[in-house]
Amino acid sequence: VKCAERCLPEGVPDAALKEMVRVQQQDYGSSWDKDVTIYDGIIECLTHLQAEHTAIAVLSNKNHDFTLQCVERFFGDFRFDAVVGFSAEVPHKPDPTGAIAIARELGLHPAEIAFVGDTATDMHTAVAAGNLPVGALWGFREADELKKAGARHIIEHPTDLFAVMEGETK
């Protein structure tokens, strides 16, 4: 609903907003996995992390069941140690509840987790959870925005994460 509200001019009647959301959800329900491109380097990064037995998790603002569906559809060949989406128990980011729950599930201290994200919301979540905030430039935002939101590292390509992880463990 928030997305629809942001797209429409102020003052649109509630009934029109509800209808727009209904139509969008119907369309999205049949096309959500069409014309999706996985960013260059993501498969290579996941392959390397899995080979190194590094825990891999997903935290999304999408509904939990839909998050599970997306991960299975696009990354079903990989083992994820935790996949968490929005639910009654896990509020939307930047609330750190989901990130903290992932740390607990993985048996790690939050500071041992590199939280890679491409928005200020992701960086705020990482900071609030006590994770290492890593800003990703292949997404939606610029480096300055990510840094202002708390990113301690900025990476241009998914495989740049390996150097960040190496540097953090030394």
Side-chain angles (χ1 to χ4, degrees):
V1 175
K2 286 286 185 200
C3 184
E5 289 173 347
R6 292 178 187 144
C7 293
L8 297 172
E10 285 188 41
V12 171
D14 285 348
L17 176 64
K18 286 180 184 176
E19 177 62 11
M20 180 185 164
V21 169
R22 185 193 68 73
V23 169
Q24 186 276 334
Q25 290 295 315
Q26 182 179 10
D27 178 63
Y28 193 67
S30 65
S31 64
W32 67 271
D33 61 345
K34 308 293 185 270
D35 298 321
V36 173
T37 301
I38 297 171
Y39 289 114
D40 180 51
I42 293 291
I43 299 299
E44 182 182 352
C45 182
L46 291 173
T47 299
H48 175 83
L49 294 172
Q50 188 167 300
E52 293 292 317
H53 305 289
T54 302
I56 306 169
V58 172
L59 176 59
S60 176
N61 273 345
K62 292 175 176 56
N63 288 335
H64 180 70
D65 289 341
F66 185 56
T67 300
L68 292 170
Q69 187 178 2
C70 289
V71 169
E72 177 59 31
R73 169 69 175 86
F74 297 110
F75 304 107
D77 291 340
F78 295 96
R79 166 203 40 83
F80 286 84
D81 299 280
V83 177
V84 177
F86 167 74
S87 68
E89 298 80 30
V90 179
H92 285 112
K93 298 178 287 183
D95 185 292
T97 301
I100 293 167
I102 287 171
R104 190 176 313 115
E105 185 172 337
L106 299 178
L108 298 170
H109 187 276
E112 296 177 284
I113 297 174
F115 189 121
V116 180
D118 62 357
T119 66
T121 298
D122 291 326
M123 297 304 97
H124 292 305
T125 305
V127 170
N131 299 143
L132 173 66
V134 179
L137 293 183
W138 60 85
F140 299 106
R141 303 291 188 255
E142 300 293 326
D144 286 346
E145 179 180 336
L146 297 170
K147 287 177 186 174
K148 286 178 186 172
R152 287 203 0 228
H153 299 277
I154 300 291
I155 57 177
E156 294 182 9
H157 189 270
T159 58
D160 294 342
L161 179 61
F162 310 148
V164 170
M165 292 169 58
E166 182 67 25
E168 288 292 321
T169 59
K170 287 184 177 179

